[in-house]
């Protein structure tokens, strides 16, 4: 909402969430890169979790986490969320004030495609190599924010990851 510099949730989306309809009619899971107010709302998450059956949920530090993480390497875990297979990569949040806040970036494989979700991470090229080496194959898309698009190290990360498409959010 406005306190975080964003417009409030549109009423129709809120109704869909409350009634588990529209965008939320077939919700398998909720995935959070971190728990800052511009990425996470506990009250909205709890509304989504009131569905029967409730969706799976994962976010760093959430007590409501309901997925089983399988360690692969230090700072890298694998898990399933619905039909999706994910890698959870421990990343550092951009901005000196947020460096100690738990943060994850995700590699999502679904329907034969692989998607990278950066959150607000500092993107380090060695981590892109780790993801590519583990998964192999092409990366269909990377979701990054404008700060990452302007950062030379993040651009190096993207060159290593080599996604076919990049989406700014």
């Amino acid at each position: 909402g406005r306190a975080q510099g964003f417009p409030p949730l549109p009423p129709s989306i809120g109704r869909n969430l409350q009634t588990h309809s529209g965008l939320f009619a077939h919700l398998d899971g909720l995935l959070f890169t971190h728990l800052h107010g511009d990425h996470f709302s506990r009250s909205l998450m709890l509304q989504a979790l009131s569905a029967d059956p409730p969706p799976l949920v994962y976010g760093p530090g959430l007590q409501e986490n309901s997925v089983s993480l399988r360690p692969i390497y230090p700072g890298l875990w694998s898990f399933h969320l619905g039909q999706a297979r994910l890698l959870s990569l421990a990343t550092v949040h951009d901005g000196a004030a947020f460096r100690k806040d738990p943060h994850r970036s995700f590699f999502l494989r679904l329907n034969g495609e692989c998607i990278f979700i950066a959150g607000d991470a500092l993107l380090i090229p060695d981590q892109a190599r780790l993801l590519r080496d583990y998964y192999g194959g092409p990366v269909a898309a990377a979701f990054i924010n404008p700060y990452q698009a302007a950062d030379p190290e993040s651009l190096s990360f993207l060159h290593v990851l080599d996604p076919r498409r990049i989406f700014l959010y």
Side-chain angles (χ1 to χ4, degrees), residues 88-109:
S88 173
L89 178 67
T91 46
V92 175
H93 193 295
D94 190 17
F98 307 115
R99 297 272 160 88
K100 293 188 179 188
D101 295 353
H103 190 283
R104 300 293 182 270
S105 294
F106 298 103
F107 222 47
L108 180 144
R109 186 176 290 254

Side-chain angles (χ1 to χ4, degrees), residues 26-45:
H26 304 286
L27 187 62
D28 291 324
L30 302 169
L31 185 64
F32 302 101
T33 58
H34 59 295
L35 305 183
H36 291 172
D38 57 335
H39 291 256
F40 172 77
S41 165
R42 179 166 300 285
S43 63
L44 293 175
M45 178 192 70

Side-chain angles (χ1 to χ4, degrees), residues 3 15 53 62 79 82 88 103 166:
R15 282 190 299 278
L62 267 180
F79 65 98
S88 173
H103 190 283
I166 296 173

Side-chain angles (χ1 to χ4, degrees), residues 110-124:
L110 180 65
N111 297 329
E113 288 200 309
C114 191
I115 298 167
F116 175 71
I117 303 165
D120 289 340
L122 289 173
L123 299 177
I124 300 166

Side-chain angles (χ1 to χ4, degrees), residues 66-90:
S66 56
V67 299
S68 298
L69 298 178
R70 184 176 62 88
I72 298 170
Y73 301 111
L76 185 66
W77 302 267
S78 176
F79 65 98
H80 286 86
L81 199 88
Q83 297 297 313
R85 180 172 176 221
L86 290 107
L87 288 180
S88 173
L89 178 67

